Amino acid sequence: MNEASGHRYPGVAMLLHWLLAIGVFAQWRIAVAAENAPNDEAGSEIMANHFSLGATLLVLVLIRVVWRFVQPNPPLAAHISTWERWLAKITHTLFYVLLIVMPLAGWLAMSKYGNGVDVFGILTLPAMPVEADPEGAREIFHIHAAAGITLLVITAIHILGTLKHTLIDRDGNLFRMLPFGTPKA
């Protein structure tokens, strides 16, 4: 293995990264579609997909966290500045926290309505053992939505950082998370 390829993420981490990225984008679009549905019934049907995908993303991010402990991330290239290292650490930590807390919050809110979460008709996560509280459920969903906006902002920062490294620095940093190209050591 050459030094540059030692800075590339393993295939499992790449796969999980891109599945989570696609899932987050899909979740955003599904939520917008549900909000703009012509009626409550259509919105509920669309949101069922949001709940199912949220449960799936929770499983994927938990696998990613376990994988990260089993297979630590490759080191950042030596030329990355201190502020970029800190920003990367903060954004990645926030990604993990939000991607774990958001689906759990959605599940908790559904539980406060007395409902479990159907996952693509394959299984149903039972309602958590919490007191019925529709007003509390609505509040949790408001917080969940704000967290979603925060996740989108962090995603935009992440993408802007990737574009900076790709187009301005031209350091090949993008190729750390792709199975082709050459990351700079």
Side-chain angles (χ1 to χ4, degrees), residues 75-107:
L76 291 172
H79 72 278
I80 304 291
S81 67
T82 301
W83 73 267
E84 289 173 307
R85 290 175 187 277
W86 276 103
L87 186 58
K89 185 175 193 124
I90 290 166
T91 56
H92 285 96
T93 300
L94 287 172
F95 273 136
Y96 288 123
V97 169
L98 289 171
L99 288 171
I100 292 169
V101 170
M102 288 180 65
L104 291 175
W107 186 10

Side-chain angles (χ1 to χ4, degrees), residues 45-60:
E45 288 178 22
I46 295 168
M47 281 308 288
N49 291 315
H50 184 78
F51 297 141
S52 293
L53 185 53
T56 304
L57 291 177
L58 177 60
V59 171
L60 290 174

Side-chain angles (χ1 to χ4, degrees), residues 1-70:
M1 172 167 65
N2 65 37
E3 187 177 353
S5 66
H7 289 270
R8 187 183 310 277
Y9 282 82
V12 171
M14 286 184 210
L15 177 64
L16 290 168
H17 172 273
W18 292 109
L19 287 174
L20 287 164
I22 292 165
V24 165
F25 180 78
Q27 283 291 74
W28 168 48
R29 299 310 307 149
I30 291 168
V32 169
E35 287 177 8
N36 295 315
N39 56 53
D40 288 345
E41 184 178 330
S44 293
E45 288 178 22
I46 295 168
M47 281 308 288
N49 291 315
H50 184 78
F51 297 141
S52 293
L53 185 53
T56 304
L57 291 177
L58 177 60
V59 171
L60 290 174
V61 76
L62 292 174
I63 292 169
R64 177 64 181 107
V65 169
V66 169
W67 179 259
R68 189 167 177 173
F69 283 110
V70 171

Side-chain angles (χ1 to χ4, degrees), residues 77-151:
H79 72 278
I80 304 291
S81 67
T82 301
W83 73 267
E84 289 173 307
R85 290 175 187 277
W86 276 103
L87 186 58
K89 185 175 193 124
I90 290 166
T91 56
H92 285 96
T93 300
L94 287 172
F95 273 136
Y96 288 123
V97 169
L98 289 171
L99 288 171
I100 292 169
V101 170
M102 288 180 65
L104 291 175
W107 186 10
L108 175 62
M110 289 300 291
S111 298
K112 286 188 165 287
Y113 281 122
N115 299 320
V117 175
D118 177 73
V119 183
F120 298 116
I122 299 169
L123 66 102
T124 299
L125 301 175
M128 294 177 175
V130 294
E131 183 179 318
D133 179 10
E135 183 59 35
R138 282 188 288 280
E139 287 301 315
I140 292 168
F141 277 133
H142 288 302
I143 293 167
H144 177 85
I149 292 167
T150 303
L151 182 62

